[in-house]
Amino acid sequence: AQTVTQSQPEMSVQEAETVTLSCTYDTSESDYYLFWYKQPPSRQMILVIRQEAYKQQNATENRFSVNFQKAAKSFSLKISDSQLGDAAMYFCAYNSNYQLIWGAGTKLIIKP
Amino acid sequence: DVKVTQSSRYLVKRTGEKVFLECVQDMDHENMFWYRQDPGLGLRLIYFSYDVKMKEKGDIPEGYSVSREKKERFSLILESASTNQTSMYLCATPTGLTGELFFGEGSRLTVL
């Protein structure tokens, strides 16, 4: 079965510090994309970062970076210099047959 | 800019009422998706459409139907709303070849 597991329902981090959100997935496909989405409270779901599975280099977008371990099927998100605006639900997903397979999400709390 | 517009941000309906959730996209894309989002369950696919008048059931289609009469509009219909359909409903369409989705702002439905 195709699954995405986000083992941390909730995480908290002090403002300006670094936090890592974990994600593991299970797919038999060899080429796919992985995504992290962010959903702030009462706001739109937006894409944070994407990773192509055949690329070994980890994707980076400003303060957001991933640690992609293809063999382990692990795709964690690191947020550096956390800001109050990073508080949100974070969802991990990968694409399969024109659909996205989603994790249950991690709620990130930023402590001022 | 890409735009996916959901007709209602917040709705309150009574059990047994017929509910229409409308979604319009301006990207001229064939594929459109309806998801349901519940705490701890992530996003679950209700239905998707890959062309006008074409639809496919997702993971949880029971109690829902859809309509795609025009390419830009994809409607989710609850024929007889029930309290267990109280949820956040998200409409999305792909933005490119990677499979990533662009979302509307969501429609939070409460069924009393």
Side-chain angles (χ1 to χ4, degrees):
Chain A
Q2 297 173 315
T3 59
V4 177
T5 302
Q6 294 181 246
S7 59
Q8 307 144 317
E10 188 173 296
M11 293 275 288
S12 63
V13 63
Q14 206 70 38
E15 194 176 1
E17 301 207 334
T18 296
V19 64
T20 298
L21 309 184
S22 67
C23 173
T24 58
Y25 60 95
D26 189 13
T27 179
S28 57
E29 297 171 33
S30 58
D31 194 14
Y32 47 92
Y33 285 85
L34 294 146
F35 308 97
W36 277 98
Y37 279 84
K38 169 185 177 181
Q39 187 182 40
S42 301
R43 291 181 62 185
Q44 193 174 12
M45 182 91 77
I46 57 172
L47 179 71
V48 174
I49 198 165
R50 80 171 73 83
Q51 171 81 41
E52 295 181 73
Y54 69 85
K55 283 190 176 178
Q56 292 190 339
Q57 186 173 5
N58 289 324
T60 298
E61 288 286 342
N62 300 314
R63 297 182 295 107
F64 297 88
S65 61
V66 300
N67 182 4
F68 174 48
Q69 304 287 332
K70 190 172 184 180
K73 295 181 180 175
S74 171
F75 181 59
S76 61
L77 176 70
K78 185 171 87 171
I79 306 174
S80 304
D81 186 26
S82 298
Q83 300 176 1
L84 294 177
D86 295 333
M89 285 293 295
Y90 287 82
F91 294 93
C92 174
Y94 73 90
N95 69 319
S96 173
N97 295 327
Y98 307 107
Q99 300 179 34
L100 293 189
I101 311 299
W102 296 86
T106 296
K107 182 178 181 179
L108 180 63
I109 298 167
I110 310 294
K111 297 177 184 177
Chain B
D1 275 355
V2 169
K3 201 156 180 136
V4 175
T5 304
Q6 293 186 230
S7 55
S8 305
R9 290 292 306 276
Y10 301 95
L11 303 94
V12 180
K13 298 292 182 180
R14 297 208 174 272
T15 301
E17 280 193 76
K18 190 169 185 176
V19 181
F20 291 88
L21 301 179
E22 304 278 337
C23 176
V24 177
Q25 52 108 349
D26 67 353
M27 288 172 278
D28 197 35
H29 208 287
E30 287 79 15
N31 296 351
M32 295 184 75
F33 300 83
W34 273 107
Y35 286 94
R36 172 175 171 160
Q37 183 185 1
D38 298 289
L41 298 178
L43 276 69
R44 293 180 291 167
L45 183 62
I46 305 172
Y47 268 97
F48 70 97
S49 170
Y50 51 92
D51 206 345
V52 174
K53 297 191 186 296
M54 308 302 285
K55 60 186 180 184
E56 289 285 341
K57 293 180 179 179
D59 300 317
I60 54 163
E62 298 77 19
Y64 304 94
S65 62
V66 291
S67 172
R68 184 106 181 259
E69 296 296 319
K70 293 184 177 181
K71 193 174 187 180
E72 67 270 17
R73 188 180 298 270
F74 189 35
S75 302
L76 180 69
I77 304 159
L78 288 67
E79 293 288 344
S80 178
S82 63
T83 55
N84 62 13
Q85 292 178 309
T86 292
S87 188
M88 171 70 86
Y89 292 89
L90 299 176
C91 176
T93 192
T95 60
L97 298 176
T98 63
E100 70 191 68
L101 297 177
F102 189 87
F103 285 86
E105 292 191 336
S107 298
R108 183 167 292 282
L109 172 67
T110 300
V111 183
L112 303 175

